[in-house]
Amino acid sequence: MPNVQPRVLVAILVYNGRPFVPAAVESAARLQGQGRSDVDVLVLDDCSPDPGWSGDLEKLCDAVSVQYYRSPRNLGIPRNMNLALLRALHDDYDYVVLCNSDVVLPLNLCDAMVGAVSDPSVGSVTAWSNSVSIYSLENADPDRNLAHFGAVDFLSAALEGEFATECVEIPTAVGFCMLIPVRVVRAVGLLDPVFGRGYCEEVDWCLRSHRAGYRSVLGVATFVYHVGNGTTRDAGLLERGQFTSWANEAIIDMRYPDYRDSLAAWAETTTLGATTQRALLRIVACAAREWGYSVEASWLHRPNTSDPVQFVVEPDGTEPLLTGRFQGFKVGIPIEGGDVLSTVERLVGGRPSAVSILDRGRFAATLEERATASGIRVVEGRTYPERV
Amino acid sequence: MKMDSPDVKSKSKNPDVGDILDELSLTQALLDFEIANARVIDLTHRLVEANRLIEELRQEVDDAHTELSELQSVHDRMKGSQAFRIASKIWALRNAVRA
């Protein structure tokens, strides 16, 4: 029996967005012809009014060999998403991915998300991201650190290495990048146009899918950079300082009176916190293996441009606190047996390039001794205490 | 610069994609209209019913106010009667003796 690749339609929903859409389209175009899935990319331009933009977008799509369609009238996000679902149904795709246009997609997107639906009870998979509602993997400066192909590819590969097909159950998907098996679309139906121009339509769809016996999960083996509200602010759906449509939230409250309580219950019982810790440790360790790292004892950490990965320990805290840092990601690491160097070397599997001692203290002294004994370069930076 | 007209035919370099999506979009739009229309009719019925209920409740509140007003008047007349005044004094004397 020939090994049939699953067919995936990746639909990018566009409304204006000239500053960020090209990156989304180009990152999606890379998905075609690689990986374990047979991927087609379709850009759905919801009658963008920005003069000349649709023409430029169509040329871009042609240049990177992705399909392009411009609606003759503006449909709003739910109905534009429905076009993607209808296309997937019509052409017998196995999966459809609905994407905002303020994203950068990694190479492993489809493989990782298809892997998460190996369990047939999964009705939707949401990609992990720096900006995915309450499930975010936070970064101090995502626009600077994460908005390029190299970053998302590296992070996704690291997460896939850690999690494979693991996923975390969540109360509802987030529509910025969600995969739906087409058989589930047939069972549950389309998104409800009552949500107008957008917001909460995917919440409603997911809660309907749950009533049909399906689950929503977070696909933690892939990472998508997301600007957040880029599409909707540009479309005028949100006022300044607003992050949702309160009118649409009211429809959700009316249809699903237990929904808010279920969010609170999920927050109490979820394993996402532990998963996040694993993810951050993995990212920092992989980065350290790839680019090397240094260790620093200081009260006030300052980013080191020559070492993208740094492990920082408080020189003399009442409780030992070791923090791993990489490109805006930060993770707390328990120190094993009071030995900072062994803890880090065991995590990374290699020695640091240097140990910097910027402040005095018990841990700083031990660290300096161990580094010297191991032949690791020690950089001294003490003049006066860094902390007041 | 000329704005794109909403009547401009949807564009796709791949004519198949454009034709397919035009047809899907139109078919779904007609379905969406049917549902939207049915919702308007349903919501109108519910609005009319809600209005009727509001009117009923308003009438009940008015009736309750009127009854309260009448009862208040009876109560005031009773408190102002000689029999009530005598009874109040006897009761006050009894409480004073017991204290």
Side-chain angles (χ1 to χ4, degrees):
Chain A
M1 189 94 141
N3 191 14
V4 179
Q5 285 181 304
R7 294 185 62 228
V8 183
L9 177 68
V10 175
I12 301 180
L13 312 166
V14 174
Y15 183 83
N16 288 344
R18 193 183 278 272
F20 44 77
V21 169
V25 173
E26 285 165 359
S27 70
R30 303 181 306 153
L31 304 178
Q32 298 180 132
Q34 68 87 42
R36 298 186 291 275
S37 307
D38 178 11
V39 179
D40 290 323
V41 178
L42 170 64
V43 169
L44 291 169
D45 180 356
D46 197 7
C47 200
S48 297
D50 186 5
W53 167 233
S54 289
D56 291 344
L57 180 56
E58 187 177 4
K59 283 190 195 118
L60 170 63
C61 290
D62 191 49
V64 297
S65 303
V66 309
Q67 298 169 22
Y68 169 85
Y69 176 77
R70 183 176 192 273
S71 287
R73 293 186 67 81
N74 179 252
L75 302 175
I77 292 172
R79 289 169 65 202
N80 204 22
M81 282 180 163
N82 282 344
L83 261 193
L85 300 183
L86 288 165
R87 169 83 166 141
L89 285 163
H90 180 271
D91 278 30
D92 286 323
Y93 283 91
D94 298 301
Y95 306 97
V96 56
V97 179
L98 302 175
C99 272
N100 285 5
S101 57
D102 58 342
V103 296
V104 175
L105 305 177
L107 278 170
N108 83 336
L109 179 80
C110 294
D111 290 347
M113 290 175 88
V114 168
V117 292
S118 53
D119 178 347
S121 72
V122 172
S124 66
V125 184
T126 300
W128 218 352
S129 172
N130 57 288
S131 174
V132 57
S133 185
I134 57 177
Y135 323 121
S136 299
L137 192 60
E138 301 206 348
N139 187 281
D141 192 352
D143 298 337
R144 191 168 72 100
N145 296 325
L146 308 178
H148 53 96
F149 298 173
V152 295
D153 288 346
F154 170 78
L155 293 170
S156 280
L159 294 177
E160 191 174 14
E162 176 70 21
F163 296 109
T165 58
E166 265 183 71
C167 46
V168 175
E169 190 147 336
I170 52 179
T172 173
V174 180
F176 93 104
C177 184
M178 63 186 276
L179 175 144
I180 305 175
V182 172
R183 58 180 164 78
V184 178
V185 178
R186 280 197 196 94
V188 176
L190 303 179
L191 294 134
D192 192 338
V194 79
F195 295 99
R197 297 182 72 198
Y199 279 104
C200 301
E201 67 282 347
E202 81 278 52
V203 175
D204 175 75
W205 187 92
C206 284
L207 295 176
R208 277 163 41 211
S209 76
H210 297 171
R211 286 181 177 173
Y214 295 101
R215 303 185 291 128
S216 299
V217 301
L218 183 70
V220 294
T222 189
F223 185 90
V224 173
Y225 164 71
H226 180 210
V227 174
N229 303 131
T231 315
T232 46
R233 281 202 200 284
D234 216 47
L237 262 75
L238 297 179
E239 305 283 341
R240 185 198 282 265
Q242 208 180 11
F243 293 95
T244 187
S245 159
W246 297 116
N248 289 355
E249 297 280 355
I251 298 173
I252 296 294
D253 288 339
M254 189 183 74
R255 282 183 173 178
Y256 311 100
D258 297 334
Y259 172 57
R260 306 294 169 189
D261 287 342
S262 74
L263 286 180
W266 175 84
E268 301 257 317
T269 57
T270 182
T271 57
L272 184 59
T275 304
T276 301
Q277 178 74 3
R278 280 172 63 194
L280 291 170
L281 278 173
R282 179 76 177 201
I283 287 168
V284 169
C286 284
R289 278 178 221 124
E290 181 77 20
W291 292 293
Y293 70 98
S294 63
V295 179
E296 178 182 299
S298 71
W299 289 112
L300 303 174
H301 167 68
R302 288 154 303 183
N304 182 338
T305 52
S306 57
D307 286 314
V309 184
Q310 290 173 284
F311 293 91
V312 183
V313 65
E314 288 184 348
D316 194 12
T318 46
E319 285 201 21
L321 186 68
L322 175 63
T323 307
R325 293 171 180 271
F326 168 65
Q327 296 286 77
F329 290 112
K330 192 171 75 166
V331 60
I333 304 166
I335 302 175
E336 294 160 20
D339 189 337
V340 172
L341 215 50
S342 294
T343 300
V344 175
E345 286 176 350
R346 207 169 295 131
L347 174 69
V348 177
R351 286 157 44 120
S353 60
V355 168
S356 302
I357 308 295
L358 303 183
D359 272 303
R360 294 183 185 280
R362 188 162 48 94
F363 286 117
T366 311
L367 182 60
E368 188 174 4
E369 268 174 42
R370 285 271 285 111
T372 307
S374 305
I376 297 169
R377 184 169 64 99
V378 175
V379 176
E380 292 228 5
R382 290 170 298 212
T383 52
Y384 48 81
E386 290 206 328
R387 200 169 63 166
V388 172
Chain B
M1 191 176 285
K2 188 180 163 194
M3 295 288 286
D4 286 329
S5 159
D7 293 329
V8 167
K9 219 175 150 147
S10 59
K11 288 186 181 175
S12 171
K13 271 281 193 253
N14 182 339
D16 291 336
V17 169
D19 290 344
I20 290 168
L21 282 163
D22 277 342
E23 188 184 332
L24 289 171
S25 186
L26 176 61
T27 305
Q28 190 59 40
L30 292 169
L31 287 167
D32 287 345
F33 166 75
E34 280 182 33
I35 293 172
N37 208 37
R39 282 174 167 175
V40 166
I41 293 168
D42 173 56
L43 285 168
T44 304
H45 284 149
R46 284 155 69 182
L47 177 65
V48 166
E49 185 58 31
N51 261 355
R52 189 191 60 74
L53 185 59
I54 287 170
E55 280 309 311
E56 267 181 29
L57 291 171
R58 219 174 249 153
Q59 188 59 51
E60 276 184 34
V61 168
D62 285 344
D63 291 346
H65 274 149
T66 303
E67 192 180 342
L68 178 66
S69 188
E70 286 167 3
L71 287 171
Q72 192 70 44
S73 177
V74 166
H75 179 71
D76 290 342
R77 276 202 309 274
M78 196 176 66
K79 280 189 82 172
S81 70
Q82 192 178 29
F84 188 85
R85 283 200 301 272
I86 291 169
S88 294
K89 282 180 182 160
I90 292 171
W91 197 256
L93 191 61
R94 171 183 170 275
N95 288 341
V97 164
R98 281 197 177 180

